[in-house]
Amino acid sequence: MLYILLPAYNEEKNISKVFKKINKIKKKISPFKVVLIDDCSKDNTKEIIKKNYGFNLIYKKHKQNKGLSITLESGFNTINKIANKKDIIISLDCDDTHPIGIIPKMIKEIELGNHLVIASRFVSGSKINGLSNIRNLMSIGAKYLFKIFYPFKNLNDYTCNYRCYDFQLIKEILKKKKFFKNEDFNIAAKILIFLINTKKNLKLTEIPFTLNYQYKIGQSKMNIMKTIFLTLRLIIFKKY
């Protein structure tokens, strides 16, 4: 079984587009379930999910806004209660910037023996469209900082949340009860650093993708200064 985890906060205008794209490839990725974690959205997200999109949808809404890190934790815990040992989890953004069409390729890489597949912005064939200069510089700067302090073979993109996990990796992370606490958009890097430092014989690969930020409707939820602070804290104090 494949679980597609979508963390959402005020993404009603993007969710339906993502769901329609998932529906177009459902025959290539079945069986699967979509897990949508609504981080106390103030828009009509809850009404959007009432439509029949042609696949199994699990929906959970936070009573208060908790941020990306806890939203991912909620999704992983929801999946952990029902998943089997050989299941696969894909996490991606809910804002329609990540191409749904590469999901079959990500699954294939897991089937070939990889534990983790990362949709990377920094490998041959990748493109970035519509991203502001400051966000682009932040991504490139984070790449080189992490490569200096946490080098790992075939790893270039530490912060992209578009990933395909062997379920057993997530199960190990969930054993650390406070792992997701007091984090935010830096959580993608924290997960990766934890895995490369604790998982023996970890096999990961990166595949190219096109990030289409111009497809996103609405403003970014990222607090840039907070993300920089949390990222530097992660690098300097190595608390993972």
Side-chain angles (χ1 to χ4, degrees):
M1 177 70 73
L2 167 69
Y3 294 92
I4 301 174
L5 173 56
L6 299 170
Y9 177 59
N10 293 339
E11 297 286 1
E12 78 169 277
K13 294 180 180 179
N14 295 308
I15 290 171
S16 59
K17 295 190 295 180
V18 172
F19 283 180
K20 289 175 182 177
K21 291 178 181 180
I22 292 173
N23 197 40
K24 287 182 179 179
I25 65 165
K26 66 180 182 181
K27 291 183 179 179
K28 297 180 181 180
I29 61 175
S30 293
F32 72 96
K33 295 180 180 179
V34 174
V35 179
L36 178 68
I37 307 298
D38 181 352
D39 193 23
C40 195
S41 295
K42 305 303 181 183
D43 60 8
N44 290 320
T45 293
K46 192 171 183 178
E47 296 302 314
I48 291 291
I49 62 98
K50 291 180 180 179
K51 298 180 182 180
N52 183 5
Y53 289 93
F55 51 77
N56 195 324
L57 174 65
I58 299 171
Y59 173 79
K60 178 179 178 181
K61 183 173 183 176
H62 289 165
K63 293 182 179 180
Q64 62 184 41
N65 183 259
K66 298 183 178 181
L68 177 62
S69 183
I70 300 301
T71 303
L72 283 176
E73 181 183 32
S74 294
F76 289 143
N77 276 321
T78 298
I79 295 168
N80 189 41
K81 293 175 182 177
I82 56 177
N84 294 316
K85 185 177 181 179
K86 295 184 179 181
D87 288 343
I88 299 170
I89 299 175
I90 286 184
S91 66
L92 69 154
D93 294 348
C94 202
D95 57 7
D96 194 36
T97 61
H98 292 162
I100 302 299
I102 68 170
I103 288 179
K105 185 175 181 180
M106 298 175 84
I107 296 170
K108 183 64 176 179
E109 290 293 340
I110 294 290
E111 293 173 345
L112 289 173
N114 289 292
H115 304 113
L116 172 61
V117 183
I118 300 170
S120 174
R121 295 161 291 181
F122 306 119
V123 292
S124 178
S126 294
K127 295 181 181 179
I128 301 175
N129 299 322
L131 196 65
S132 67
N133 289 334
I134 188 170
R135 288 284 299 275
N136 205 19
L137 286 172
M138 282 178 60
S139 298
I140 295 171
K143 167 192 170 180
Y144 286 109
L145 276 174
F146 283 118
K147 282 182 75 69
I148 291 170
F149 288 94
Y150 300 101
F152 194 82
K153 184 180 179 181
N154 300 325
L155 177 57
N156 297 284
D157 199 329
Y158 292 72
T159 56
C160 183
N161 188 47
Y162 197 1
R163 297 174 181 170
C164 186
Y165 298 92
D166 179 323
F167 169 65
Q168 295 303 307
L169 296 183
I170 300 302
K171 202 170 185 67
E172 286 300 312
I173 292 172
L174 291 175
K175 291 178 181 179
K176 295 178 69 67
K177 299 301 181 182
K178 296 183 179 181
F179 186 87
F180 294 87
K181 188 176 181 181
N182 298 322
E183 311 292 349
D184 198 24
F185 278 79
N186 64 309
I187 190 61
K190 183 176 182 179
I191 290 172
L192 191 50
I193 291 170
F194 172 78
L195 292 175
I196 66 178
N197 281 280
T198 61
K199 173 72 175 176
K200 292 182 179 180
N201 302 316
L202 177 68
K203 294 180 181 179
L204 69 80
T205 189
E206 294 184 325
I207 64 171
F209 81 115
T210 299
L211 176 66
N212 283 309
Y213 207 75
Q214 76 276 16
Y215 290 172
K216 176 182 173 63
I217 299 175
Q219 298 298 313
S220 171
K221 312 305 187 300
M222 178 188 288
N223 182 318
I224 292 178
M225 295 308 298
K226 181 180 181 181
T227 300
I228 291 173
F229 168 75
L230 291 174
T231 300
L232 291 175
R233 186 189 68 177
L234 180 62
I235 291 171
I236 295 170
F237 294 102
K238 300 183 179 182
K239 291 185 177 181
Y240 53 83

